[in-house]
């Protein structure tokens, strides 16, 4: 088979139709990004802004840790003086254990995994599953001062919404 270049020797338009067709950018639909909001819109990302970001001053920095990690590493935390060993279990503060926990607004304990030891965990927030697993193993979920303040604020906000 001959090359395309060879086949088009002697042709005036090289399969571009009539000689007027390929003159200007109109044949291509415009130059550059012309038509991006009309006839070329499917080739470009959507124009304008969309979505919403909460203002930085009302965002909370929430750090999380799973109860399984607390349970598995309880002995190591005692060795590092991050937890205390009680007679039948361990007493932990989640803010001490989580990296940068004291700088965060909220430290939350999540309920992923299993709990085998009796743990008394102090944190700002607990998921429902975390509380159930701690109590099922004979431990306790204790809200910190910040957690109690948040719970009181949430209760006040819920009461105001109920009134409306």
């Amino acid at each position: 088979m001959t090359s395309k270049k060879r086949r088009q020797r002697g042709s005036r338009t090289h399969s571009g139709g009539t000689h007027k067709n390929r003159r200007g950018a109109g044949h291509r639909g415009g130059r550059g990004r012309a038509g991006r909001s009309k006839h070329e819109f499917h080739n470009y990302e959507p124009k304008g802004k969309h979505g919403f970001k909460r203002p930085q001053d009302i965002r909370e920095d929430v750090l999380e840790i799973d109860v399984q990690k607390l349970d598995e590493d309880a002995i190591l935390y005692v060795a590092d003086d991050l937890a205390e060993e009680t007679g039948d279990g361990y007493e932990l503060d989640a803010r001490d254990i989580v990296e940068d926990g004291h700088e965060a607004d909220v430290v939350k304990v999540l309920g992923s995994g299993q709990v085998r030891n009796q743990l008394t965990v102090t944190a700002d927030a607990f998921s429902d599953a975390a509380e159930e697993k701690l109590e099922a193993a004979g431990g306790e979920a204790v809200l910190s001062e910040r957690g109690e303040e948040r719970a009181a604020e949430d209760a006040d906000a819920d009461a105001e919404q109920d009134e409306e």
Side-chain angles (χ1 to χ4, degrees):
M1 180 180 223
T2 59
S3 67
K4 184 175 182 181
K5 183 190 252 185
R6 179 86 175 146
R7 277 182 281 132
Q8 292 180 342
R9 293 261 185 226
S11 170
R12 181 175 179 193
T13 58
H14 293 263
S15 73
T18 183
H19 69 283
K20 297 176 183 179
N21 276 358
R22 291 170 159 181
R23 281 189 175 161
H27 185 69
R28 297 191 304 269
R31 289 185 170 90
R33 291 168 63 101
R36 73 184 177 125
S37 57
K38 297 197 181 240
H39 61 279
E40 297 283 345
F41 66 93
H42 52 278
N43 295 333
Y44 296 96
E45 72 284 345
K47 284 177 67 176
K49 296 179 180 179
H50 64 281
F52 177 77
K53 278 193 174 180
R54 298 181 75 203
Q56 186 68 38
D57 56 334
I58 64 169
R59 279 193 225 163
E60 286 187 333
D61 183 23
V62 180
L63 297 179
E64 301 161 343
I65 189 165
D66 290 322
V67 285
Q68 182 175 3
K69 180 158 177 52
L70 295 174
D71 183 55
E72 290 174 350
D73 297 340
I75 298 169
L76 300 174
Y77 298 141
V78 170
D80 292 340
D81 290 332
L82 297 174
E84 295 178 18
E85 189 169 5
T86 59
D88 49 354
Y90 300 97
E91 196 168 308
L92 314 149
D93 187 353
R95 277 197 180 271
D96 294 337
I97 294 167
V98 176
E99 187 175 335
D100 297 331
H102 290 282
E103 282 82 44
D105 295 327
V106 179
V107 175
K108 185 172 184 174
V109 178
L110 303 180
S112 176
Q114 295 179 344
V115 178
R116 294 193 173 101
N117 297 314
Q118 279 189 344
L119 300 176
T120 303
V121 181
T122 304
D124 300 328
F126 293 90
S127 69
D128 294 335
E131 284 187 44
E132 290 173 12
K133 289 181 180 182
L134 287 171
E135 291 169 3
E140 188 179 1
V142 180
L143 280 177
S144 64
E145 291 179 17
R146 288 185 186 180
E148 290 175 0
E149 291 171 6
R150 285 186 71 236
E153 289 173 8
D154 291 345
D156 292 342
D158 289 343
E160 288 179 21
Q161 286 183 349
D162 291 342
E163 291 175 7
E164 294 174 4

